[in-house]
């Protein structure tokens, strides 16, 4: 069985997708009645797991040896279930008792029982049923009618995971009025810990009104920031009012370590706790475990915490195999490795980055030996405008705007997760602080294989993004002010956009209806985005998020320190005008061409009539005209016509032939001035002073020399030296330095002033 499982995993992990997937599906449907072999079925499963359109983006996550043991447990459970009833009962009892004993010793939970479940909320539901059966003696016979005499109350911290209390009431059939949300501290202590004084008052009020305090849900590591409630004080309060204390959270994993915080150690005295060893140890498809203490097995059976069916006890088999494979030292080492990663990133962030830019919400202490209060690091970029040296442009507008900084932190978390995927960082939104970046290795390190090098790379990428965030926040107001100075541009206030801002080019046409006007705006701004993307710049231009409320806009991405905001806005305005004018030209092209053709026909007809009147009738006769022309030559006065599409006018062709050479020379000098002023390698919209260190004086001189050393066209090689015009270089005068920046046509350039 283990060999077959290994072969199946190799097939599924190989990433080789059938080349005839579409035809294979048809053949499978026709031949399914005759049955398929194992390899064919596994090939079908592989084709369903992988995406044919993007084969590389959906690779299976690597499953280590301990993961193979967990997967083997599911196969063994199905195989063991076919044993005879007596042998099955003995085997399942041994597996269940061994696993429960190991978990109680690992997590320091003495005299406990265990319930294994797939949904990590199911254990809490069963515990609530146990407490209801214990507190209401007639519940087994009277049912929910006994609850109307004294309404049960379940207390939950405001920092618990969302929807947990509602799920409990739904599964237990209780009204939402039975759920009491206890606020966190507002004046003393952590803002993520339950307010014990307020909880005491709430329990007293419920007792006085005839309600029955039933159960309290506390946190040993909140889902957001990893904070732990004051469990020892809560336990005293629960003993005082006879309330069941249930604890859950990621910090419970640190109970296996030798030295832990006393705050977390108090969790061992609670009435029940829920553990999730799967993500902690990198074990796929292993159940969650709820440890509890209760002396009456009949009530546990009535609540569903125990079962008389041997097959249900086989849920613990994957965990039983994995725990034996890892051993005590292997389990402790994995938890210790995650704790070490937390210490490493906490120390690196405090030493590498300015703390004034970050708000640390939760992190471990940095003392050695290892001593953890929370194995979670949560931080948030927060610009300190009081110490900023940006001229005060951030102050008064964006500094107090939480939504802007939320968007920047969301971008920061997404970029870090994209650049360092093995780090396991994610974005979390907290009620008071807003959007933050969270590093929780206990939930991700074992599955992703996070190492210390990944943490170092994460800190390095974070240090690179801090200046980008600061500059973007500083330039947002400058960008707004520059946009408002252009009548053709409208500034779009979108605080959720993580970038410089959004702008819309407004059409100057006022003769359109609202529907056509919106179509015109969409057409112009879409084309404008394409034009801006073609520019040689580091800025990102887009039409905005897919579900954005603002339409027909241009969204500019993150900014750098050397950004020239004025040049950027001027370019957007000028390019928008060009797009609008070209659109008008294309729109009126049909009418312009039609009128031009009619005008050309009239002028040609008029020219023919004038030629007839000028030359006479004899010159129109074929044989006579040649004789008359021989005796009296005449030069035709019919002129050619050229139609200018841009101007919509009909002109003669005389200036074209007369000034052909001059036109060619002028056309060669029509290069953009912006590219002539940029230094080699310099991007658009960058201030020359900000990046002057990277361009030396020698490089600029060499660039000018290369410009004046451009080879002549191939046609000039056939001419002699006497055919080439050698320009005369006038003597240098001091007052001529002001025209050194003017462009000079090819072949007529004088020596630049910077080259002496």
């Amino acid at each position: 069985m283990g060999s077959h499982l290994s072969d199946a995993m190799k097939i599924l992990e190989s990433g080789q997708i059938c080349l005839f997937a579409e035809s294979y599906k048809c053949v499978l449907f026709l031949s399914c009645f005759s049955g398929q072999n194992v390899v064919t079925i596994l090939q079908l499963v592989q084709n369903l797991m992988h995406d044919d359109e993007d084969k590389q983006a959906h690779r299976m996550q690597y499953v280590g040896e301990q993961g193979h043991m967990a997967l083997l447990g599911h196969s063994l459970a199905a195989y063991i279930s076919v044993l005879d009833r007596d042998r099955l009962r003995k085997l399942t009892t041994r597996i269940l008792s061994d696993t429960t004993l190991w978990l109680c010793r690992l997590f320091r939970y003495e005299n406990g029982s265990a319930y294994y479940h797939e949904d990590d909320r199911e254990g809490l539901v069963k515990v609530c049923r146990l407490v209801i059966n214990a507190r209401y003696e007639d519940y087994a016979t009277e049912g929910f009618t006994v609850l109307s005499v004294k309404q049960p109350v379940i207390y939950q911290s405001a920092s618990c995971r969302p929807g947990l209390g509602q799920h409990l009431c739904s599964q237990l059939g209780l009204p939402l009025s039975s759920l009491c949300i206890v606020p966190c501290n507002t004046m003393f202590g952590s803002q993520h810990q339950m307010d014990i004084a307020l909880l005491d008052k709430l329990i007293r009020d419920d007792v006085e009104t005839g309600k029955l305090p039933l159960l309290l849900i506390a946190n040993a590591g909140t889902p957001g920031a990893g904070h732990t409630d004051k469990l020892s004080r809560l336990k005293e309060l629960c003993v005082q009012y006879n309330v069941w204390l249930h604890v859950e959270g990621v910090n419970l994993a640190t109970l296996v370590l030798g030295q832990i915080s006393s705050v977390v150690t108090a969790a061992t005295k609670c009435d029940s706790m829920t553990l999730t060893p799967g993500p902690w140890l990198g074990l796929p498809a292993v159940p969650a475990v709820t440890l509890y203490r209760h002396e009456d097995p009949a009530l546990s059976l009535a609540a569903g915490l125990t079962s008389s069916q041997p097959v249900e006890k086989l849920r613990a088999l994957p965990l039983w195999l994995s725990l034996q494979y890892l051993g005590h030292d292997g389990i402790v080492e994995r938890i210790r490795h995650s704790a070490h990663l937390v210490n490493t990133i906490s120390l690196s962030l405090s030493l590498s980055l300015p703390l004034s830019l970050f708000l640390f919400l939760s992190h471990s202490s940095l003392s050695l030996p290892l001593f953890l209060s929370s194995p979670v690091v949560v931080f948030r970029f927060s610009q300190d405008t009081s110490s900023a040296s940006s001229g005060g442009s951030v102050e008064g507008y964006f500094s107090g705007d939480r939504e802007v900084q939320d968007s920047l932190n969301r971008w920061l978390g997404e970029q870090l997760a994209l650049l360092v995927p093995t780090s396991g960082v994610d974005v979390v939104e907290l009620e008071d602080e807003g959007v933050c970046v969270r590093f929780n290795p206990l939930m991700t390190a074992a599955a992703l294989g996070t190492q210390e090098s990944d943490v170092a790379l994460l800190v390095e990428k974070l240090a690179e993004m801090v200046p980008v965030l600061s500059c973007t926040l500083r330039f947002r107001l400058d960008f707004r002010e520059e946009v408002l100075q252009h009548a053709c541009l409208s500034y779009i206030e979108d605080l959720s956009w993580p970038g410089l801002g959004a702008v819309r080019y407004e059409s100057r046409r006022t003769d359109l209806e609202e529907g056509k006007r919106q179509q015109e705006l969409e057409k112009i701004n879409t084309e404008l985005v394409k034009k801006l993307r073609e520019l040689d710049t580091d800025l990102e231009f887009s039409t905005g998020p897919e579900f954005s409320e603002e339409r027909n806009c241009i969204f500019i991405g993150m900014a750098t320190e050397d950004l020239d905001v004025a040049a950027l806005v001027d370019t957007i305005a000028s390019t928008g005008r060009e797009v609008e004018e070209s659109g008008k030209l294309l729109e009126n092209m049909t009418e312009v061409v039609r009128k031009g053709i009619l005008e050309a026909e009239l002028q040609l007809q008029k020219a023919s009539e004038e030629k007839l009147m000028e030359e006479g009738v004899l010159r129109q006769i074929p044989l006579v005209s040649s004789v008359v022309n021989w005796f009296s030559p005449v030069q035709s006065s019919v002129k050619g016509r050229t139609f200018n599409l841009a101007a919509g006018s009909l002109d003669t062709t005389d200036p074209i032939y007369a000034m052909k050479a001059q036109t060619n020379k002028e056309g060669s000098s029509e290069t953009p001035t912006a590219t002539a002023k940029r230094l080699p390698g310099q991007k658009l919209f960058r201030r020359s002073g900000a990046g002057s260190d990277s361009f030396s004086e020698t490089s600029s001189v060499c660039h000018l020399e290369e410009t004046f050393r451009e080879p002549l066209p191939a046609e000039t090689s056939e001419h002699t030296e006497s055919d080439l015009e050698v320009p005369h270089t006038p003597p240098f005068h001091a007052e001529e330095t002001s025209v050194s920046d003017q462009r000079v046509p090819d072949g007529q350039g004088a020596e630049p002033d910077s080259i002496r």
Side-chain angles (χ1 to χ4, degrees), residues 590-650:
T590 303
E591 184 67 18
V592 172
V593 172
R594 188 184 65 83
K595 292 182 179 180
I597 293 175
L598 294 177
E599 184 180 355
E601 291 178 350
L602 293 176
Q603 291 189 13
L604 290 175
Q605 183 179 1
K606 183 179 180 181
S608 299
E609 295 176 355
E610 292 178 354
K611 177 181 178 182
L612 179 62
M613 296 297 296
E614 180 181 353
E615 297 179 354
V617 179
L618 294 178
R619 295 182 185 275
Q620 310 303 321
I621 303 175
L623 296 178
V624 179
S625 62
S626 59
V627 177
V628 175
N629 290 335
W630 185 77
F631 283 104
S632 177
V634 64
Q635 187 174 0
S636 177
S637 62
V638 178
K639 306 296 182 181
R641 296 293 187 271
T642 175
F643 183 62
N644 190 346
L645 292 177
S649 59
L650 195 67

Side-chain angles (χ1 to χ4, degrees), residues 340-351 355 360 362-366 376-377 439 455 459:
H340 177 69
L341 294 178
V342 172
N343 273 334
T344 302
I345 192 173
S346 299
L347 182 61
S348 300
L349 290 177
S350 61
L351 296 179
L355 295 180
F360 290 90
S362 176
H363 58 86
S364 65
S365 59
L366 303 178
V376 182
V377 174
F439 179 68
V455 174
V459 176

Side-chain angles (χ1 to χ4, degrees), residues 231-244:
L231 300 178
S232 58
R233 182 69 182 92
L234 291 176
K235 179 59 179 177
E236 296 175 359
L237 198 63
C238 290
V239 171
Q240 178 182 352
Y241 292 101
N242 194 18
V243 177
W244 185 284

